[in-house]
Amino acid sequence: MMMKSALLGAVAALGLAPAAFAERGADGHVNVLYWQAPSILNPYLSSGTKDVETSSLILEGLAGFDEKGVVFPRLAESVPTVENGGVSADLTQITWKLKAGLLWSDGTPVTSKDAKFTWEYCTHPEGGCAQAARYEGIKSIDTPDDLTIVITFDAPKPNPYQAFVGGTSPILQAAQFANCLGAAASTCTDQNFKPIGTGPFMVKDFKVNDVVELEANPNYRDPAKPAFATMTVKGGGDAQAAARAVMETGEFDYAWNTQINPEMQAQMAAAGKGVLLNGFGTLVERIEMNMTNPDPALPEGERSTPKHPHPFLSDIRVRKALSMAIDRQILVDIGYGSAGRPTCNIVPAPEMFASDNTDCLKQDMEGAKALLEEAGWTDSDGDGVRDKDGAKLKILYQTSTNPVRQDFQAVIKDWWTELGVEVELKNIDASVFFGGDAGSPDTFQKFYSDVEMYANNFDGTDPEPYLGQYLCDKIPGPDNQWQGENINRFCDPAYDALWNELSKTADIAKRAEIAKKLNDMLTKDSYTVVALVDRGRLSAAANTLGGVVLNTWDTELWNAQDWFRVK
Amino acid sequence: MTDTDLGIAPPESQLRAVWAQFRKHKGAMIGLIILVLLVIFSIFGPMVWNPEKLSVAEALKLKNKPPALAYPMGTDQLGRDVMQRMMYAGRVSLAVGFVAMVIAIVLGTTIGIIAGYFKRLDGWLMRLTDLFLALPLIPLLLVMVMLFRDRMAGVLGPEGGAFVLIVFAIGVTSWMHAARIVRGEVLALKEREYVLASRAIGATSRRVILRHILPNVISPVMVAATLGVAEAIITESVLSFLGLGFPPDFPTWGRILFEGLEYITLYPERVIFPGLAISLTVLSVNLIGDGLRDALDPRIRGR
């Protein structure tokens, strides 16, 4: 009898075991590796991904983006829309409702005052808020009661999910940050290193640029979460070492941004300790065509400015031929493997904004040659380089120093040489190339070459500001210290007009349609931007870590509260 | 007086004596042979070894092949023949190494001798040397490349321009050690009896320097020079890595090494071959320098 009951007890214990993870802190410890170490835990004082994402374990916004780019409520009861009355019909007001009974990790209640304070904190004229763009266009924030936040905009805001949405604009505790407004913001070490939040974890110890020790937030709104009692976010090393730590040695459970070459990916996957997760966002590796003349013989200040159109790249047939000669699948295989896919679009996602433009995916060398012949570029002196009116078809092709980019350069040079184009390659140290120093001739904004290659993406899910970069008045030049975003010097009044229409349209389907049209105007209709590879994000997770969903629209740690240990 | 036969062989030319002594140095001979082989490999190799140029898609099917008969050093991640790249790279690396070394040694020796011999110039020249020693090389090169690359490329083409610029940049930033060593030697030498004697009979400074001092500082200069070659090859690699050196489609040993680094765990030969080439060059030049120093030293030569 004793024996039987003991056995029954054991069976019962076994039967209950799978449910054990539904208890807070039941799964022990989890190790996360951010090879770029976090240096601050306040996303308003740093735009570094590593800082924003680590902070998102502690601080939360009213809502977030899920892995499909859809807004879902976090601290808010629900997502306000025009349909449910949360957004006013004229698009100038949005009303958020907080969940009832929310507590900060120190046990005090979360109120609408905290949200209002956060807005004041970030928009303080003396403070250098890194996420100020999120609060642009807000006229006022009112708090009629403790749970209601009413945001009023200066003008109709077709995309109101900016402030308090996503990991880049969380809500700070007013009580903790009260003395940190404006110029004092960066001096509040305690607050910036140990913020009080509503997220699943809270800071136990933080060694700057090294390691963050976290423990489960006892006041987290879901009593069963997080499954892990403690978490370590460690920094240091590089992408390859990070991948190895998860995939081969198993020291870590999750590693962020493990961008490694396809060969390595295959080798590490074979070790069997973890999986590489990939998610596609909006990052597109592209070749930008210079519509203006970068000839060094031109006086400084006129080089690469709309004063002098490019001698041959201003002809669409030349641009199209250059694009047709490229086999994008080969580029993916060389550089990214499973973390990339060929694309012709500069807005490859979210799905509803992605154009069905796939013409460029197939390489057509003969077609490209015919197109150049048609444009009058023939090899009249038999040296393998096409010429026209005594000028050779010679291209200077620059990019930043990076092994994958140099491989791309070598391969694309081969194709273009076959096409009859002479190509000179140039690579520039990334810190100079992307440095934006108006005094340097080698920045990507100055664009002192015929074509250049780099990757760009947009923040969030709405491509409007991104497509707005190609407006005529965004052309970089000496008069604006070369700070414009229209790198190609593309200028088309029809494009400007269509973009203005986009900025006034609220209907989401209509917006998607216009965005697709704008994307096509830049890509398949003009070949101003020659998209090459849609680059995904690659992170590594151990097989024993469950619940991980890679999200490219918000922070990667967006659902750390749902992570658990696979037993 | 009549001619007396002292039983000694007629004095041979100095050059011959040096060569005879050099040949006795086993290490130096091995070094010389290796260096000559490397030079032949780089200069004449591409004429003999000239694999067919494949299209990108065809080449990619052959990527990452291990060394085999068809590809003695294997193929790289883009299916290019590594041996052919090594040959072309050798031309650049060796040329950069030697030319930069010559510039550095000529500059260093001149400044060292002048500083050591002429007391009035000593302070100024040595402070100049200190100044150059304190200059950080990479930022200096950054500025130089930024200012002059386009202009040089316009005159000499992208490769020629880069070559002149890099060689010059490495040369003018690596003469300081040679200058310091030489100055020290000269300070000691100029108090020696034969130098004093030469001065006493009214020899000009020029003659004293060229005839009595210069030949005696050759040995430390040789050592500095051989080390300089190695350093120049490595500095060039660093520059190419930072994107300041040659255009990316222009292979050098350093660049091949850096490209291979990413694949070191999978294909170690990608790093071993260029690494071996650089090490062999450096080692052989060092051995030659060692042998030359012995051969040029009359005290050792007699033995």
Side-chain angles (χ1 to χ4, degrees):
Chain A
M1 191 63 206
M2 278 286 283
M3 186 66 181
K4 198 176 171 192
S5 62
L7 276 174
L8 272 175
V11 169
L14 275 174
L16 284 172
F21 69 79
E23 192 184 313
R24 177 177 293 157
D27 282 353
H29 186 75
V30 62
N31 283 311
V32 176
L33 185 58
Y34 266 63
W35 54 269
Q36 290 174 18
S39 50
I40 193 165
L41 292 176
N42 179 354
Y44 291 112
L45 299 182
S46 167
S47 52
T49 312
K50 59 198 170 83
D51 301 323
V52 172
E53 301 207 345
T54 318
S55 321
S56 75
L57 291 166
I58 305 143
L59 299 165
E60 288 180 300
L62 293 170
F65 298 99
D66 70 9
E67 76 275 16
K68 294 190 192 73
V70 179
V71 182
F72 73 96
R74 275 184 187 275
L75 300 180
E77 200 126 66
S78 61
V79 176
T81 58
V82 179
E83 286 77 49
N84 69 19
V87 178
S88 69
D90 62 354
L91 308 175
T92 56
Q93 206 170 61
I94 182 167
T95 308
W96 294 90
K97 279 256 188 238
L98 284 169
K99 283 184 178 125
L102 285 173
L103 294 179
W104 293 101
S105 58
D106 64 356
T108 56
V110 180
T111 69
S112 53
K113 303 272 184 309
D114 292 310
K116 183 170 186 189
F117 170 81
T118 306
W119 168 63
E120 284 162 357
Y121 175 85
C122 187
T123 52
H124 197 283
E126 282 163 39
C129 179
Q131 315 293 351
R134 290 249 154 209
Y135 296 94
E136 225 163 70
I138 295 180
K139 195 161 80 184
S140 64
I141 293 187
D142 299 306
T143 51
D145 62 59
D146 271 0
L147 298 180
T148 312
I149 303 152
V150 182
I151 305 175
T152 312
F153 300 104
D154 293 333
K157 195 105 173 165
N159 176 26
Y161 308 117
Q162 302 258 338
F164 311 124
V165 180
T168 47
S169 69
I171 293 181
L172 301 174
Q173 192 193 38
Q176 190 190 16
F177 281 86
N179 297 324
C180 302
L181 283 170
S186 56
T187 59
C188 286
T189 320
D190 261 6
Q191 287 85 338
N192 295 333
F193 289 175
K194 286 190 180 174
I196 294 168
T198 54
F201 292 94
M202 50 192 247
V203 193
K204 196 161 66 183
D205 189 28
F206 178 32
K207 292 196 181 69
V208 179
N209 286 328
D210 181 18
V211 65
V212 192
E213 298 285 355
L214 302 132
E215 60 191 343
N217 174 2
N219 294 314
Y220 188 63
R221 57 186 173 276
D222 184 339
K225 289 172 181 176
F228 289 105
T230 49
M231 179 189 262
T232 303
V233 180
K234 177 98 180 97
D238 57 21
Q240 200 178 321
R244 188 154 293 171
V246 173
M247 308 281 292
E248 284 187 350
T249 67
E251 291 163 82
F252 283 87
D253 297 301
Y254 187 85
W256 160 85
N257 194 9
T258 51
Q259 199 61 257
I260 49 176
N261 65 52
E263 302 268 321
M264 284 289 176
Q265 291 174 19
Q267 191 208 16
M268 292 199 184
K273 284 221 162 93
V275 282
L276 287 168
L277 308 163
N278 60 323
F280 289 96
T282 57
L283 188 63
V284 172
E285 186 83 24
R286 78 281 295 284
I287 289 180
E288 305 272 16
M289 300 276 174
N290 195 342
M291 309 300 263
T292 60
N293 195 350
D295 189 348
L298 291 171
E300 194 61 39
E302 289 189 18
R303 218 179 147 185
S304 282
T305 62
K307 261 187 205 160
H308 305 274
H310 198 282
F312 52 85
L313 285 179
S314 45
D315 182 348
I316 180 172
R317 287 171 297 188
V318 177
R319 301 196 300 266
K320 188 172 179 191
L322 290 173
S323 168
M324 284 162 80
I326 297 171
D327 187 337
R328 289 163 172 79
Q329 185 59 48
I330 286 186
L331 294 178
V332 170
D333 294 343
I334 292 173
Y336 298 102
S338 66
R341 55 186 179 195
T343 186
C344 304
N345 291 324
I346 61 162
V347 179
E351 220 175 301
M352 62 183 313
F353 289 105
S355 165
D356 56 351
N357 159 30
T358 52
D359 298 342
C360 77
L361 295 184
K362 210 175 152 342
Q363 185 188 28
D364 182 5
M365 190 59 86
E366 292 317 309
K369 282 181 183 163
L371 204 57
L372 283 182
E373 297 279 339
E374 186 198 312
W377 291 94
T378 48
D379 185 8
S380 61
D381 53 4
D383 64 349
V385 180
R386 289 173 193 271
D387 50 80
K388 182 179 172 182
D389 309 330
K392 295 235 175 251
L393 195 49
K394 186 172 183 299
I395 284 179
L396 175 60
Y397 173 10
Q398 71 180 18
T399 188
S400 70
T401 303
N402 166 318
V404 173
R405 294 214 166 108
Q406 263 72 76
D407 284 354
F408 276 25
Q409 276 187 312
V411 168
I412 290 173
K413 178 180 176 172
D414 266 13
W415 284 320
W416 284 354
T417 309
E418 193 186 335
L419 192 62
V421 180
E422 191 183 339
V423 185
E424 184 193 321
L425 302 182
K426 182 170 166 186
N427 59 332
I428 300 158
D429 188 56
S431 58
V432 177
F433 190 59
F434 298 115
D437 173 12
S440 165
D442 285 335
T443 61
F444 78 105
Q445 290 105 328
K446 275 219 176 153
F447 206 168
Y448 282 177
S449 70
D450 300 300
V451 300
E452 64 185 3
M453 178 170 71
Y454 58 86
N456 201 358
N457 65 343
F458 58 92
D459 193 34
T461 54
D462 188 77
E464 182 192 316
Y466 182 59
L467 289 165
Q469 295 178 353
Y470 294 90
L471 299 177
C472 294
D473 60 358
K474 297 275 171 64
I475 294 178
D479 40 329
N480 58 13
Q481 309 311 313
W482 303 93
Q483 294 308 321
E485 293 136 335
N486 188 346
I487 304 303
N488 313 71
R489 286 86 165 128
F490 170 84
C491 185
D492 182 351
Y495 183 92
D496 284 22
L498 195 56
W499 185 84
N500 280 328
E501 199 187 320
L502 176 68
S503 65
K504 294 192 192 91
T505 309
D507 178 44
I508 195 82
K510 195 88 202 310
R511 285 178 72 78
E513 193 188 317
I514 298 174
K516 281 183 197 174
K517 234 182 255 169
L518 291 170
N519 170 70
D520 290 350
M521 287 174 91
L522 293 169
T523 55
K524 73 173 171 189
D525 298 342
S526 75
Y527 292 94
T528 309
V529 181
V530 174
L532 301 174
V533 179
D534 178 7
R535 284 172 53 186
R537 220 187 279 184
L538 197 65
S539 292
N543 288 335
T544 56
L545 184 66
V548 178
V549 178
L550 189 60
N551 184 343
T552 53
W553 306 108
D554 204 338
T555 95
E556 275 186 31
L557 304 173
W558 71 294
N559 72 338
Q561 67 276 11
D562 301 331
W563 290 5
F564 60 92
R565 183 68 64 196
V566 178
K567 299 228 172 67
Chain B
M1 268 219 284
T2 55
D3 277 4
T4 46
D5 188 357
L6 296 173
I8 302 169
E12 43 189 352
S13 81
Q14 198 184 1
L15 211 63
R16 194 173 295 227
V18 168
W19 173 237
Q21 175 65 30
F22 184 80
R23 261 192 330 199
K24 277 190 212 154
H25 196 297
K26 217 182 259 169
M29 282 311 284
I30 295 173
L32 188 66
I33 290 167
I34 291 176
L35 190 66
V36 168
L37 286 180
L38 277 170
V39 171
I40 290 173
F41 172 80
S42 303
I43 295 177
F44 301 107
M47 296 174 194
V48 184
W49 184 258
N50 200 3
E52 192 191 346
K53 175 94 182 89
L54 298 169
S55 77
V56 173
E58 284 168 338
L60 277 175
K61 285 183 200 135
L62 299 171
K63 70 175 177 181
N64 298 324
K65 287 260 184 280
L69 209 57
Y71 305 102
M73 294 186 186
T75 58
D76 68 5
Q77 74 278 10
L78 298 179
R80 294 173 294 196
D81 182 46
V82 175
M83 182 138 115
Q84 193 188 21
R85 280 170 69 74
M86 285 289 296
M87 289 168 174
Y88 282 111
R91 292 181 176 187
V92 186
S93 291
L94 289 173
V96 166
F98 283 99
V99 177
M101 177 267 282
V102 169
I103 294 177
I105 288 308
V106 169
L107 254 177
T109 315
T110 314
I111 290 177
I113 288 184
I114 294 176
Y117 195 82
F118 302 104
K119 206 164 185 248
R120 269 189 307 159
L121 294 173
D122 190 14
W124 292 101
L125 286 174
M126 280 302 112
R127 295 301 78 71
L128 180 77
T129 312
D130 292 342
L131 189 117
F132 266 87
L133 271 174
L135 270 184
L137 179 63
I138 298 295
L140 179 76
L141 289 170
L142 247 158
V143 173
M144 276 178 74
V145 170
M146 206 184 79
L147 289 179
F148 302 117
R149 176 162 59 190
D150 286 349
R151 236 168 286 172
M152 292 293 243
V155 183
L156 301 159
E159 284 107 51
F163 182 80
V164 172
L165 202 60
I166 288 175
V167 156
F168 179 74
I170 298 177
V172 297
T173 49
S174 52
W175 54 267
M176 294 79 71
H177 291 283
R180 280 190 162 179
I181 295 167
V182 169
R183 171 180 170 268
E185 284 285 311
V186 172
L187 281 180
L189 282 174
K190 76 173 179 184
E191 302 303 328
R192 298 282 277 268
E193 290 82 353
Y194 60 89
V195 175
L196 293 176
S198 172
R199 275 161 71 177
I201 59 171
T204 58
S205 300
R206 195 184 128 107
R207 188 173 164 79
V208 174
I209 288 173
L210 290 180
R211 180 80 195 150
H212 299 295
I213 292 182
L214 194 57
N216 285 302
V217 295
I218 286 284
S219 29
V221 167
M222 277 297 157
V223 178
T226 51
L227 292 174
V229 174
E231 213 165 294
I233 290 179
I234 290 165
T235 311
E236 187 281 318
S237 314
V238 173
L239 287 183
S240 291
F241 182 64
L242 287 179
L244 298 172
F246 292 95
D249 51 336
F250 204 66
T252 67
W253 282 342
R255 181 180 286 280
I256 296 181
L257 185 70
F258 278 123
E259 279 178 6
L261 206 57
E262 207 187 332
Y263 297 89
I264 188 166
T265 50
L266 293 167
Y267 311 105
E269 71 270 13
R270 206 75 67 69
V271 183
I272 291 172
F273 287 122
L276 206 63
I278 295 177
S279 322
L280 278 181
T281 311
V282 173
L283 200 68
S284 59
V285 172
N286 272 326
L287 283 172
I288 294 171
D290 206 25
L292 264 184
R293 190 196 55 209
D294 289 1
L296 287 172
D297 191 335
R299 282 163 300 185
I300 298 178
R301 196 161 66 224
R303 275 185 271 159

